[in-house]
Amino acid sequence: MDTEKGRNDIEFENGKALGTYWAALCLDGLLRTRQFIRGINEAIKEKTNNKKPIHILYAGTGPFATLILPFIFRYSKQDIKYTFLEINPFSFKLLKNVILKLGLEEYNISLINSDATKYQVDSKNEPDIIISETMQNALAKEQQVPIFLNLMRQVKNETIFIPEKINLFIGLKKAEIPLEEIQSKDYKKEMKVFEVSKESMFPSNNLNKATATEVSFTKKQTIIRNEKLKGFNQIVIITEIQVYKNEKIEINESGLTTPLFIKDIPNDLKSSISIDTQYIISSEPKLEYKITYHTPNQLA
Ligand SMILES: C[S@@+](CC[C@H](N)C(=O)[O-])C[C@H]1O[C@@H](n2cnc3c(N)ncnc32)[C@H](O)[C@@H]1O
């Protein structure tokens, strides 16, 4: 995989898909991988209590289907059927090899080389659990949001999405702490500015789902008064992930939740700050922001 072909990311109008080599390396984000597997374990236990077989759709498997592989051995064909979606043809080819080498053909696994932002769910074979980890910190660059939007609008409310919730906050980083010593307590969340979850994206359930093709996310404004900036030296975007129920990835625990620096705060700043934000899906998805400085009178 460590070749030019394997290292090349693929660009799409909704964001990029990682090169095979990078997708394989996600496994090494040990805390990430553990938390996702623990969350998926909870969701599977819950769903298999009521129904068999359950159907798991995994969007963006990478070459190893890392987050699901441990479960394939644990549950029988009668318990779980799988649909694996992967957009990168090289990752898809290696995934097929992995499945063959591990002798998994006897399990009920459908392998589909296609784009999860456009994939049409078969209404007669709706998934009970949908998994995708196609994100970076601050939900930048990759296709997590368009993938979940496409899939959320097609399925019933009972479908569990993994991760269950991703929150972005405007936050502050404490001053005078060297980068290598920084801990999650050194960041302060100011305001939640974006949430990815079934509840936030489709609050009125099925009614609007079919028509919600043109998406524009709510603009938010975070105002931080000058006195609240004292002792902090950076404005950041903070990411928190609720994988499922109590299984979470908190600030700075993984590359996916590393706070993203957006602006230095000068020591002698006399003004307050407002930050206008809106999440945008484009060839480079991101939380767009505009920072404005205000004199105390302007905010009064
Ligand atoms: C961050 S990697 C994660 C790999 C693996 N699931 C893991 O957790 O270790 C994301 C994978 O999703 C794939 N992907 C990205 N966008 C996709 C899309 N729109 N449809 C299907 N797969 C996609 C990428 O090619 C890549 O293999």
Side-chain angles (χ1 to χ4, degrees):
M1 284 178 268
D2 191 6
T3 59
E4 200 187 330
K5 182 172 160 197
R7 285 171 170 268
N8 277 346
D9 295 337
I10 312 178
E11 315 282 337
F12 295 93
E13 82 268 18
N14 285 329
K16 70 174 178 181
L18 289 190
T20 306
Y21 180 67
W22 309 116
L25 280 183
C26 292
L27 174 65
D28 263 351
L30 285 188
L31 188 123
R32 174 212 78 117
T33 302
R34 183 188 71 170
Q35 291 309 93
F36 267 83
I37 289 175
R38 288 170 69 110
I40 294 167
N41 186 41
E42 279 308 305
I44 291 179
K45 279 199 292 192
E46 212 175 288
K47 288 290 186 187
T48 48
N49 257 338
N50 308 320
K51 178 187 161 191
K52 290 200 179 137
I54 63 160
H55 178 197
I56 299 181
L57 172 67
Y58 185 5
T61 56
F64 304 145
T66 304
L67 303 176
I68 274 295
L69 210 53
F71 298 101
I72 302 181
F73 296 102
R74 187 182 254 199
Y75 288 90
S76 74
K77 189 176 176 176
Q78 286 70 37
D79 291 327
I80 307 184
K81 57 183 172 181
Y82 306 90
T83 302
F84 288 176
L85 283 183
E86 173 55 55
I87 200 169
N88 181 325
F90 187 42
S91 297
F92 186 72
K93 184 173 154 226
L94 296 190
L95 175 70
K96 283 201 289 193
N97 287 350
V98 168
I99 304 254
L100 274 179
K101 285 239 159 111
L102 293 175
L104 300 179
E105 311 94 299
E106 73 205 55
Y107 289 87
N108 190 342
I109 306 173
S110 308
L111 295 169
I112 305 177
N113 182 200
S114 92
D115 180 351
T117 68
K118 305 205 165 68
Y119 179 73
Q120 290 299 308
V121 172
D122 175 0
S123 56
K124 290 185 218 72
N125 186 22
E126 269 202 22
D128 301 283
I129 302 174
I130 294 181
I131 301 162
S132 192
E133 193 282 85
T134 37
M135 65 174 282
Q136 302 191 6
N137 55 338
L139 287 166
K141 299 182 186 139
E142 289 185 55
Q143 304 186 41
Q144 184 86 40
V145 179
I147 289 175
F148 267 17
L149 265 184
N150 175 44
L151 299 172
M152 279 174 183
R153 73 163 62 103
Q154 297 183 59
V155 298
K156 296 194 192 71
N157 269 339
E158 302 79 70
T159 309
I160 296 176
F161 279 79
I162 305 274
E164 191 173 22
K165 192 184 288 182
I166 305 165
N167 280 330
L168 300 187
F169 302 83
I170 290 294
L172 297 172
K173 180 189 134 310
K174 275 191 195 158
E176 286 161 21
I177 299 174
L179 211 55
E180 57 286 0
E181 285 171 29
I182 204 147
Q183 299 176 19
S184 46
K185 67 174 177 49
D186 300 317
Y187 292 98
K188 179 164 174 267
K189 293 185 267 181
E190 279 298 321
M191 183 167 144
K192 184 164 93 178
V193 291
F194 187 51
E195 175 178 323
V196 180
S197 67
K198 275 187 306 191
E199 300 72 37
S200 67
M201 297 189 130
F202 293 99
S204 52
N205 301 339
N206 291 328
L207 280 179
N208 299 330
K209 283 191 177 179
T211 52
T213 42
E214 288 296 316
V215 192
S216 163
F217 298 110
T218 317
K219 292 181 182 166
K220 295 273 168 118
Q221 185 175 61
T222 310
I223 296 174
I224 315 177
R225 292 186 176 270
N226 185 265
E227 56 275 19
K228 290 181 77 184
L229 294 166
K230 297 277 173 281
F232 296 96
N233 70 343
Q234 282 181 359
I235 304 174
V236 292
I237 300 172
I238 290 173
T239 312
E240 282 183 344
I241 304 171
Q242 182 176 6
V243 178
Y244 190 58
K245 297 203 166 156
N246 289 328
E247 303 302 339
K248 300 179 179 163
I249 307 178
E250 313 272 7
I251 307 178
N252 229 13
E253 281 187 342
S254 131
L256 305 188
T257 59
T258 306
L260 186 76
F261 163 83
I262 58 175
K263 190 86 186 164
D264 279 320
I265 307 168
N267 246 339
D268 53 353
L269 187 73
K270 300 276 183 297
S271 36
S272 299
I273 295 178
S274 69
I275 304 125
D276 292 285
T277 45
Q278 184 179 29
Y279 193 79
I280 305 285
I281 298 175
S282 67
S283 58
E284 205 181 310
K286 58 170 161 308
L287 186 75
E288 287 194 345
Y289 58 86
K290 184 169 156 271
I291 298 175
T292 317
Y293 295 94
H294 304 270
T295 60
N297 292 343
Q298 284 173 313
L299 285 176

